[in-house]
Amino acid sequence: MKVIRHLRNSAFLTCAILIILTQTTCTGEFTESTGTTSSSDSPNVKYVFYFIGDGMSTVQIHATEMYLASLADGYSDSNINIEKTKNLSFRDFPAFGMATTYAANRFITDSAAAGTALACGKKTLCETVSLSTDRKTPYTTIAELAKAKGMKVGLVTSQGIDHATPAVFYAHEENRYNYYNIGVQLANSNFDYFAGGSLHEPARRATRVRRGAAAGESVESKNTYDVAKENGFKIVTSREELDNCKPGERIIAYNKAEESKNALNFEIDRPDNCMSLAEFTAKGIALLDNDKGFFMMVEGGQIDTACHNNDAVASIYDTIAFDKAIKEAIDFYKQHPKETLIVITADHETGGMSIGYGTSYDTAFELLKNQKMSWDKFVNTVLSKYSSGQWNGVEDNIPDGLKADFNEAFGLVYDRLNPYEKDLLENAYDKHMSNTKRMRMTINEFRQQDQLLYGDKNPVGITLTRILNSRAGIGWPTVAHTGTPVEVHAIGVDCESFTGFYDNTDVPKKMAKIMGVNLDN
Amino acid sequence: MKVIRHLRNSAFLTCAILIILTQTTCTGEFTESTGTTSSSDSPNVKYVFYFIGDGMSTVQIHATEMYLASLADGYSDSNINIEKTKNLSFRDFPAFGMATTYAANRFITDSAAAGTALACGKKTLCETVSLSTDRKTPYTTIAELAKAKGMKVGLVTSQGIDHATPAVFYAHEENRYNYYNIGVQLANSNFDYFAGGSLHEPARRATRVRRGAAAGESVESKNTYDVAKENGFKIVTSREELDNCKPGERIIAYNKAEESKNALNFEIDRPDNCMSLAEFTAKGIALLDNDKGFFMMVEGGQIDTACHNNDAVASIYDTIAFDKAIKEAIDFYKQHPKETLIVITADHETGGMSIGYGTSYDTAFELLKNQKMSWDKFVNTVLSKYSSGQWNGVEDNIPDGLKADFNEAFGLVYDRLNPYEKDLLENAYDKHMSNTKRMRMTINEFRQQDQLLYGDKNPVGITLTRILNSRAGIGWPTVAHTGTPVEVHAIGVDCESFTGFYDNTDVPKKMAKIMGVNLDN
């Protein structure tokens, strides 16, 4: 065993050395070796894009490609145009790799520990934001190093700008849900551009149970947006306001209409008056471009939420939205091919999404285009109309109007469902009405079954997309994250180093080497 | 969109050209360019190993690594030694890629269409063995080309040697289940070594419904083993007999004790008197080695069967068995590093296996080591003892003896199961007894639920492993194949060409280029 491992290591090392000796850029220019230490700067790297698809692994990517292919005329499971399934902008990037994702204290990671690994090149505990595993010592982040080097820094996300994935680049906090503290660190950071969902807790909540805070503890603190303004940030909340911003201004941007959500709408539900991830990215590029270059992280944060909901179409739309943001970076790369590096990866997979379900070998992705909104929006805007009556003591049957709504929103014709699917939906509706009217009358021993059936989500909502998804050939074994490794795609300066199979902590280390900054502190 | 695609293509091409210009071997020797046409031979490739893990994609590999890590002292979900999770022999191979798997007529492929793609570099219909999509024109296989070039050829598998994955390398047949026809082609082939499970249909069954055959058609035909012997093959059916074989002899080898199974036992169930996949591989290497080199395909065929059964531990044991076979090739590679190429991939994923289940972020892989046999063996050797009574008209309760057997074989203590798990098992037991005694009294409208619950498998068997797997943190959304891309790992001569993301048809094309043979005919 030892001999084999030794052999593997030497073969690997030899190859690694040769790759270094013959290193090229993916932009067409042969360069000198970039060396192997973090101090060896690649002189050409001026613009660095770091795209993180939250919850997006191989199947999320592949399902999106399948969905896009299914929109073509004549598509069917038996008539797939293979070339048409390669339709995400990064699919043919010259460098491809995969990365493991585990946290220091759990195999299945969360966005804070995974984000810390991707931002700092070091493992930490779940829920921890760029601190060491004793939750005391700050880890240096690659964004901080970029800033220290003179680059401008922008963070864009479809989650709140204080959510775990953006937070790990600027904050150091023992718990990701300490939103007020994280917001204060954002407001005090020297970064240049934050765009996405609004802050979760701009004013510290007077009464809040926090880790380490006594129940009922009351604290008054300054509004984070005010702190940000004092520090020179401009807060903009509409497309028009953002359009009027000029390079050199430091900006915090979100959509006013989404302020109460602390996140962008799912892309499938996005109103026209709300800026998209791609718009925030494009504007960020325009604002950040300068002689010393920039570092920009863009998170496709709602892919994860959609997968937690087992809502494949919402996930697919958000993956497409993420890809549109990537296309903005590619457009920029076209103008600066010898100075730009684009890296695309994910923090973890969510949902265990599979293309293939039950006992069938068939898929029917064309059914997915019948879905018109996320189930989250359906529950809040359609189902909610049916939840206001008084419980009459018997099981509720699904009203005809609601059945029509299922068809309208998801293309599910109730009368054409099979008995098992009808049973699932009737049970879910009854459960939903129980939750609404009977509140917590769940019998304990059915609790686990309910969890498996509904994963603590709205029973009707998650059942609707699971039925539609299973008919299309998509399965969801979990509503949580999984331990599946994630893909890495790269193009641009010295991108070859992102080929292979490695750990998520290696991603920023590779990036740091190319940028000539030192993450080891 | 077009502009971006053009950009991507040019960037990709530029990079591809540069890679060719700077091509190296992974064995440490810088070589001339191997060029881009199939006629450009790499002079150093003498030994080619092609490992195909049937049903083995990222999660099967990763779960096996996790399982091996979980055997270490002090292992827990919160105390994972990351380095110990990199414990399969190919994890650090210098070349890593992924390949899409779809068939010509279905997104989710089968082993025949996927095998044809891996053997011939061309897509075909599901169930078709190395024929064109009209099921008429034979596709040339890379093994045939290797043989024509003067290399010896060996095919090793844990499935029957006439099963789809080995068959695609030597047979051309419109349906993979035409076992007699495939066996005849095996017997008439000019290959040198076949080892694994026995032939499914060495004597054509007198009455057999085949695709294209009239019902009740009766055909008498020569025994395939006799044809093979006439053609110079020696048939060996024990370890001792195989040990006595000499280089130069043409061999068909299987374990006598497994003759009725037409496959190797699951590794977890393998009796000592049965040769393993690694033994068949090691002996094959010894027998095939010669001045003109060899081509050897080794299939980890029972990984797929285990995943169809949603039996994670059986899958893991067979992945370890597959890895042991790979280690034999690595040992050989150590002696011939400049003349050997090892490529490891899969035909498709099976089961949609996920590390992560239900609503939990926790895993408990240490529970898996309590499983002592596959559920298939459990059903046939333990549960079968409880199936002989007469149905008494009421629901069956699980006998205490059987509950003790659950603990013995799977480490599942019945009394410690939660109510939901108990309910699952009681229902499965009742279903099993119904099948045994009441035969086909299933109410139609529960048919789909039964399929989802049991996937046409033994209800008790699949429920036992699903409960154990879910407790360990493993989910299975399907008992069928999925459309997930598969990993590719390579080491040895010109292995760099296997980096990246591509289609399964590209795998043998890359191999053919390195071997200097032409797959385009």
Side-chain angles (χ1 to χ4, degrees):
Chain A
M1 180 67 180
K2 261 194 178 159
V3 178
I4 292 171
R5 184 159 291 174
H6 175 70
L7 154 80
R8 283 191 284 130
N9 292 345
S10 16
F12 183 71
L13 270 177
T14 313
C15 189
I17 290 162
L18 279 164
I19 286 171
I20 291 155
L21 286 173
T22 60
Q23 195 137 14
T24 63
T25 67
C26 287
T27 52
E29 189 172 77
F30 189 90
T31 62
E32 295 292 295
S33 161
T34 60
T36 55
T37 68
S38 55
S39 60
S40 61
D41 194 344
S42 177
N44 291 326
V45 183
K46 185 173 169 187
Y47 307 107
V48 177
F49 289 94
Y50 200 172
F51 285 90
I52 301 175
D54 200 312
M56 181 190 82
S57 189
T58 302
V59 180
Q60 280 78 7
I61 293 170
H62 217 49
T64 303
E65 295 187 305
M66 286 269 290
Y67 174 80
L68 289 168
S70 78
L71 301 178
D73 286 344
Y75 172 92
S76 74
D77 187 40
S78 60
N79 184 29
I80 297 167
N81 183 330
I82 290 172
E83 280 313 305
K84 285 196 176 161
T85 64
K86 299 179 78 174
N87 43 30
L88 289 180
S89 64
F90 53 90
R91 173 51 76 209
D92 283 334
F93 271 17
F96 171 77
M98 284 195 97
T100 47
T101 66
Y102 22 77
N105 64 335
R106 206 172 64 198
F107 184 77
I108 298 175
T109 193
D110 80 327
S111 290
T116 298
L118 291 174
C120 310
K122 297 186 183 74
K123 296 289 188 190
T124 193
L125 310 179
C126 291
E127 304 198 341
T128 307
V129 176
S130 294
L131 288 179
S132 56
T133 52
D134 60 2
R135 294 201 165 105
K136 287 180 182 163
T137 313
Y139 287 157
T140 305
T141 85
I142 192 151
E144 290 165 345
L145 292 172
K147 187 69 199 177
K149 202 187 172 198
M151 300 166 92
K152 286 189 183 285
V153 172
L155 303 178
V156 178
T157 176
S158 42
Q159 282 290 350
I161 53 177
D162 52 358
H163 207 253
T165 306
V168 294
F169 288 89
Y170 62 82
H172 306 274
E173 186 63 32
E174 63 175 39
N175 191 282
R176 57 183 285 190
Y177 299 110
N178 292 348
Y179 283 124
Y180 180 78
N181 295 353
I182 291 170
V184 169
Q185 292 181 65
L186 182 154
N188 288 323
S189 82
N190 58 0
F191 292 0
D192 303 278
Y193 181 69
F194 294 93
S198 57
L199 294 170
H200 286 72
E201 198 179 338
R204 191 196 284 274
R205 284 167 202 150
T207 303
R208 174 162 161 73
V209 178
R210 294 193 313 281
R211 186 180 290 255
E217 178 194 22
S218 178
V219 187
E220 297 290 336
S221 299
K222 208 163 186 176
N223 183 293
T224 316
Y225 289 122
D226 292 337
V227 178
K229 280 183 211 163
E230 285 168 17
N231 289 333
F233 278 106
K234 186 170 164 184
I235 319 283
V236 298
T237 63
S238 72
R239 187 175 280 129
E240 190 182 14
E241 282 177 8
L242 185 57
D243 281 346
N244 288 331
C245 293
K246 298 283 177 297
E249 291 183 305
R250 294 173 70 217
I251 308 292
I252 293 173
Y254 61 87
N255 291 303
K256 189 73 185 169
E258 293 168 335
E259 191 163 18
S260 62
K261 296 176 86 87
N262 310 122
L264 271 60
N265 277 279
F266 285 124
E267 179 66 15
I268 191 174
D269 304 328
R270 181 169 60 86
D272 284 345
N273 67 335
C274 286
M275 291 174 279
S276 69
L277 195 70
E279 287 179 84
F280 281 132
T281 303
K283 190 64 190 179
I285 291 170
L287 290 171
L288 293 174
D289 192 9
N290 77 102
D291 286 350
K292 293 200 163 180
F294 62 77
F295 173 96
M296 181 183 273
M297 190 288 297
V298 181
E299 183 203 13
Q302 292 288 57
I303 301 166
D304 176 63
T305 316
C307 292
H308 278 296
N309 285 354
N310 292 181
D311 186 339
V313 174
S315 158
I316 286 166
Y317 269 76
D318 263 274
T319 305
I320 294 169
F322 186 53
D323 193 51
K324 283 182 180 163
I326 292 167
K327 283 173 179 164
E328 297 292 341
I330 292 174
D331 282 343
F332 184 83
Y333 163 85
K334 281 191 291 184
Q335 294 153 29
H336 309 275
K338 296 176 184 172
E339 300 169 298
T340 306
L341 170 67
I342 304 176
V343 177
I344 297 158
T345 189
D347 50 357
H348 53 74
E349 197 274 348
T350 303
M353 190 183 200
S354 68
I355 301 179
Y357 177 72
T359 56
S360 176
Y361 287 77
D362 300 324
T363 57
F365 269 54
E366 65 277 12
L367 298 177
L368 298 177
K369 64 182 171 223
N370 297 323
Q371 186 174 335
K372 304 296 184 215
M373 61 181 79
S374 71
W375 73 242
D376 184 67
K377 181 176 175 184
F378 181 82
V379 165
N380 290 316
T381 64
V382 182
L383 182 65
S384 57
K385 292 186 291 186
Y386 296 89
S387 308
S388 55
Q390 291 298 307
W391 183 52
N392 57 11
V394 297
E395 284 196 0
D396 290 290
N397 291 317
I398 300 173
D400 287 344
L402 184 56
K403 289 179 184 170
D405 292 330
F406 293 163
N407 185 18
E408 186 70 25
F410 300 96
L412 291 172
V413 180
Y414 185 85
D415 291 341
R416 290 192 209 143
L417 297 180
N418 65 44
Y420 179 61
E421 291 167 332
K422 283 180 182 168
D423 208 39
L424 286 177
L425 259 182
E426 292 284 355
N427 287 341
Y429 182 69
D430 189 55
K431 181 79 191 163
H432 166 74
M433 296 305 275
S434 307
N435 283 345
T436 310
K437 293 186 253 167
R438 282 178 278 175
M439 289 304 286
R440 306 205 180 284
M441 285 185 65
T442 316
I443 298 162
N444 189 46
E445 70 178 40
F446 291 111
R447 176 80 187 129
Q448 191 180 1
Q449 185 170 21
D450 280 349
Q451 279 211 326
L452 287 176
L453 283 173
Y454 312 125
D456 289 328
K457 311 290 179 186
N458 180 281
V460 176
I462 199 164
T463 301
L464 282 166
T465 54
R466 280 188 181 159
I467 289 175
L468 175 63
N469 292 181
S470 65
R471 291 185 151 228
I474 293 173
W476 297 101
T478 176
V479 294
H481 301 166
T482 73
T484 307
V486 293
E487 297 191 0
V488 185
H489 302 262
I491 192 169
V493 183
D494 292 345
C495 69
E496 303 77 11
S497 63
F498 292 94
T499 60
F501 191 95
Y502 39 85
D503 188 56
N504 60 359
T505 52
D506 294 323
V507 178
K509 285 179 192 163
K510 292 171 190 291
M511 203 176 268
K513 280 181 192 167
I514 297 169
M515 292 167 65
V517 296
N518 192 343
L519 260 184
D520 293 337
N521 291 338
Chain B
M1 180 71 181
K2 261 194 177 158
V3 178
I4 291 171
R5 183 161 290 177
H6 175 71
L7 155 79
R8 283 191 286 129
N9 291 345
S10 13
F12 183 71
L13 270 177
T14 312
C15 189
I17 290 163
L18 279 164
I19 285 170
I20 291 156
L21 286 174
T22 59
Q23 196 137 14
T24 64
T25 68
C26 288
T27 51
E29 190 171 77
F30 188 89
T31 63
E32 295 292 295
S33 162
T34 60
T36 55
T37 68
S38 56
S39 59
S40 61
D41 195 344
S42 177
N44 290 328
V45 182
K46 185 172 169 187
Y47 307 108
V48 177
F49 289 94
Y50 200 171
F51 286 90
I52 301 175
D54 201 312
M56 181 191 81
S57 189
T58 302
V59 179
Q60 280 78 9
I61 294 169
H62 217 48
T64 303
E65 294 187 305
M66 285 270 291
Y67 174 80
L68 290 168
S70 78
L71 302 177
D73 286 344
Y75 172 92
S76 74
D77 187 40
S78 60
N79 184 28
I80 297 167
N81 183 330
I82 289 172
E83 280 312 304
K84 285 196 176 159
T85 65
K86 299 179 79 173
N87 43 30
L88 289 179
S89 64
F90 53 89
R91 174 51 77 209
D92 282 334
F93 271 18
F96 171 77
M98 284 195 97
T100 47
T101 66
Y102 20 78
N105 64 335
R106 207 173 64 200
F107 185 77
I108 298 175
T109 193
D110 81 327
S111 290
T116 299
L118 290 174
C120 309
K122 296 186 183 75
K123 296 289 186 189
T124 194
L125 310 178
C126 290
E127 303 197 340
T128 307
V129 176
S130 295
L131 288 179
S132 56
T133 51
D134 59 4
R135 294 199 165 106
K136 288 181 180 162
T137 312
Y139 287 157
T140 305
T141 84
I142 191 150
E144 291 165 345
L145 293 173
K147 187 68 198 177
K149 202 188 172 196
M151 299 166 93
K152 287 191 184 283
V153 172
L155 304 177
V156 179
T157 176
S158 42
Q159 282 290 349
I161 53 177
D162 53 358
H163 207 253
T165 307
V168 295
F169 287 90
Y170 63 81
H172 305 274
E173 186 63 34
E174 63 175 37
N175 191 282
R176 57 183 285 190
Y177 299 110
N178 293 347
Y179 283 124
Y180 180 79
N181 295 353
I182 291 170
V184 170
Q185 293 180 65
L186 182 154
N188 288 323
S189 82
N190 59 0
F191 292 180
D192 303 278
Y193 182 68
F194 293 93
S198 58
L199 294 169
H200 285 73
E201 198 179 336
R204 190 196 284 274
R205 285 170 200 147
T207 303
R208 173 163 162 72
V209 178
R210 291 192 313 282
R211 186 182 290 257
E217 178 193 22
S218 177
V219 187
E220 295 290 337
S221 299
K222 209 161 186 176
N223 183 293
T224 317
Y225 289 123
D226 293 336
V227 178
K229 282 183 209 162
E230 286 168 16
N231 289 334
F233 278 105
K234 187 169 162 185
I235 320 283
V236 298
T237 63
S238 73
R239 187 175 281 130
E240 191 182 13
E241 284 177 9
L242 185 58
D243 281 346
N244 288 331
C245 293
K246 298 283 177 298
E249 291 183 305
R250 295 172 69 218
I251 308 292
I252 294 173
Y254 61 88
N255 291 304
K256 189 73 185 170
E258 293 169 334
E259 190 163 19
S260 63
K261 296 177 85 87
N262 311 121
L264 271 59
N265 277 280
F266 284 124
E267 178 66 15
I268 190 174
D269 303 328
R270 181 168 60 85
D272 284 344
N273 66 336
C274 287
M275 291 174 278
S276 68
L277 194 70
E279 287 179 83
F280 282 133
T281 303
K283 191 63 189 179
I285 292 169
L287 290 171
L288 294 174
D289 192 9
N290 78 101
D291 287 350
K292 293 199 162 179
F294 61 77
F295 173 96
M296 180 183 276
M297 190 287 298
V298 181
E299 183 202 15
Q302 292 288 57
I303 301 166
D304 176 63
T305 316
C307 291
H308 277 296
N309 285 355
N310 292 181
D311 185 340
V313 174
S315 159
I316 285 166
Y317 268 76
D318 263 274
T319 305
I320 294 169
F322 185 54
D323 193 50
K324 283 182 179 163
I326 292 167
K327 283 173 179 164
E328 297 293 341
I330 292 173
D331 282 344
F332 184 85
Y333 163 86
K334 281 191 292 182
Q335 295 155 28
H336 310 274
K338 296 176 184 174
E339 301 169 299
T340 306
L341 171 67
I342 305 176
V343 177
I344 297 158
T345 188
D347 51 357
H348 53 74
E349 197 274 348
T350 303
M353 190 182 200
S354 67
I355 301 178
Y357 178 72
T359 56
S360 176
Y361 288 77
D362 299 325
T363 57
F365 268 54
E366 65 277 11
L367 297 178
L368 298 177
K369 65 182 169 223
N370 296 324
Q371 185 174 333
K372 304 297 183 214
M373 61 181 79
S374 71
W375 73 242
D376 185 66
K377 181 176 175 184
F378 181 83
V379 165
N380 290 316
T381 64
V382 181
L383 182 65
S384 58
K385 292 185 291 188
Y386 297 89
S387 307
S388 55
Q390 291 298 307
W391 184 52
N392 57 11
V394 296
E395 285 194 0
D396 290 291
N397 292 316
I398 300 173
D400 287 344
L402 184 56
K403 289 178 185 171
D405 293 330
F406 293 163
N407 185 18
E408 186 70 25
F410 301 95
L412 291 172
V413 179
Y414 185 85
D415 290 341
R416 290 192 208 143
L417 298 180
N418 65 44
Y420 178 61
E421 291 166 332
K422 283 180 182 168
D423 207 40
L424 286 177
L425 258 182
E426 291 284 356
N427 287 340
Y429 181 71
D430 189 56
K431 181 79 191 162
H432 166 74
M433 296 305 276
S434 308
N435 282 345
T436 309
K437 295 187 250 168
R438 281 179 278 176
M439 289 303 285
R440 305 205 180 286
M441 286 184 64
T442 316
I443 298 162
N444 189 46
E445 71 179 39
F446 291 111
R447 176 81 187 128
Q448 191 180 3
Q449 185 170 19
D450 279 349
Q451 279 211 327
L452 287 177
L453 283 173
Y454 312 125
D456 288 329
K457 311 289 178 186
N458 181 280
V460 176
I462 199 164
T463 301
L464 282 165
T465 54
R466 280 187 180 160
I467 289 174
L468 176 63
N469 292 181
S470 66
R471 290 185 152 229
I474 292 173
W476 297 101
T478 175
V479 293
H481 301 166
T482 71
T484 306
V486 294
E487 297 191 1
V488 185
H489 301 263
I491 192 169
V493 182
D494 291 347
C495 69
E496 303 76 13
S497 63
F498 292 93
T499 60
F501 191 95
Y502 39 85
D503 188 56
N504 59 359
T505 52
D506 294 323
V507 178
K509 285 180 192 163
K510 292 170 190 292
M511 204 176 267
K513 280 181 192 168
I514 296 169
M515 292 166 65
V517 296
N518 192 341
L519 260 184
D520 294 337
N521 292 338

